Amino acid sequence: MYYQVNDVKLFVRQDGERNPAIIFLHFWGGSSRTWEPVTHLLKADYHCIRIDLRGWGASDKPQTGYDISSMAEDVLLLIQELQLDNYILAGHSMGGKIAQAIAAQKPEALKKLILVAPSPAVPTLLPDEMVKGMLQAYTSIDNIQFTIDHVFEAPDLSPDLRRVVVEDMQQHNTASLTAWPGKAMNEDVSAGLSGIKIPTLVIAGGNDKVDPPARLAEDVVARIANARMVVIPGAGHLSMLQAPEKVAALIKEFVREV
């Protein structure tokens, strides 16, 4: 279903009806489908909401609005539209940075925060050659396959899941493709992070080279008062696709904690 927020139509998938609602935000190159293996295991217990962020999936792909603040505003306006008064944010990678920016604003209805291989709220500064590599990562099927196997460390994806990821990585325009490595990744949205008081779970992949556990411990967990981290051994950057049962079990346990 589509919802008009800001200047874009966002495509949103909803499953389940039980509170709390869990809002799932995807990575740079993903879509709402990225989270489907996990929400399939959670929808009987929770209201699972998966968003195609602007520029990706079936959502509109404007030429502007790919800074973290604008994408966070998209999500907050969608929450208003859906009239949610009890929700949890679950963000992966780029979606994790957006989720941190939202949590730093301390919305009253946000009860918990789940960050899966999140990009830290502080800047990720990379050498020019690595940025150039990122800009080429989704420009051909061969580059996409290489990225999945050797950057995201996810060679174990099933053929069906690999097909979904390959398709999603092609669903962009030039602006959404270049904005993350060109700008948003380098933004500092850490103001207010130390004031987050809600329980926060960080899920890391033991083999993740993009956002490795050591960096997450230093730049995410240490900056949020009530955060703790769990590492999934053997998983790379796409743990919700590589180990959905484990991710779903960790989320379910965390949500149920008083």
Side-chain angles (χ1 to χ4, degrees), residues 187-227:
E187 288 184 65
D188 189 338
V189 294
S190 62
L193 217 61
S194 61
I196 296 175
K197 303 301 182 184
I198 58 175
T200 300
L201 174 66
V202 179
I203 301 175
N207 293 344
D208 192 350
K209 296 191 304 186
V210 177
D211 291 299
R215 188 184 183 210
L216 297 184
E218 179 179 355
D219 284 340
V220 179
V221 178
R223 294 173 183 270
I224 300 175
N226 293 316

Side-chain angles (χ1 to χ4, degrees), residues 93-108:
S93 196
M94 178 182 77
K97 187 165 186 171
I98 296 168
Q100 289 170 79
I102 293 171
Q105 299 181 44
K106 305 174 189 64
E108 184 177 352

Side-chain angles (χ1 to χ4, degrees), residues 4-218:
Q4 182 79 34
V5 299
N6 275 343
D7 57 346
V8 294
K9 287 191 301 182
L10 298 182
F11 183 71
V12 180
R13 303 173 191 264
Q14 300 189 62
D15 299 289
E17 298 178 350
R18 296 184 178 181
N19 278 332
I22 308 178
I23 301 168
F24 294 87
L25 308 178
H26 63 77
F27 72 106
W28 173 68
S31 79
S32 56
R33 300 194 298 176
T34 303
W35 281 102
E36 196 280 332
V38 170
T39 59
H40 176 73
L41 300 171
L42 296 175
K43 63 185 180 182
D45 298 298
Y46 308 108
H47 179 192
C48 297
I49 302 168
R50 294 177 282 144
I51 305 169
D52 285 359
L53 297 169
R54 68 162 64 205
W56 297 97
S59 289
D60 282 352
K61 299 171 178 62
Q63 296 303 310
T64 59
Y66 297 103
D67 58 286
I68 298 299
S69 294
S70 293
M71 291 189 286
E73 185 179 15
D74 288 348
V75 176
L76 285 168
L77 289 173
L78 177 65
I79 289 167
Q80 290 182 20
E81 183 73 18
L82 295 174
Q83 299 181 347
L84 301 178
D85 58 6
N86 178 14
Y87 67 90
I88 294 166
L89 280 177
H92 171 232
S93 196
M94 178 182 77
K97 187 165 186 171
I98 296 168
Q100 289 170 79
I102 293 171
Q105 299 181 44
K106 305 174 189 64
E108 184 177 352
L110 175 61
K111 306 304 182 183
K112 294 185 178 184
L113 183 63
I114 300 165
L115 304 171
V116 181
S119 180
V122 294
T124 298
L125 301 175
L126 300 177
D128 289 345
E129 286 303 312
M130 292 186 69
V131 174
K132 290 179 182 177
M134 292 179 68
L135 291 170
Q136 296 298 317
Y138 303 159
T139 58
S140 73
I141 298 297
D142 286 345
N143 288 356
I144 288 172
Q145 299 285 13
F146 180 89
T147 299
I148 292 171
D149 291 339
H150 302 293
V151 179
F152 292 155
E153 294 290 331
D156 53 342
L157 292 183
S158 70
D160 286 344
L161 288 178
R162 180 177 288 266
R163 175 185 55 78
V164 169
V165 174
V166 170
E167 289 176 357
D168 283 349
M169 287 179 174
Q170 298 175 82
Q171 298 300 312
H172 56 74
N173 65 0
T174 300
S176 60
L177 177 67
T178 60
W180 174 250
K183 180 182 178 183
M185 184 175 65
N186 300 325
E187 288 184 65
D188 189 338
V189 294
S190 62
L193 217 61
S194 61
I196 296 175
K197 303 301 182 184
I198 58 175
T200 300
L201 174 66
V202 179
I203 301 175
N207 293 344
D208 192 350
K209 296 191 304 186
V210 177
D211 291 299
R215 188 184 183 210
L216 297 184
E218 179 179 355

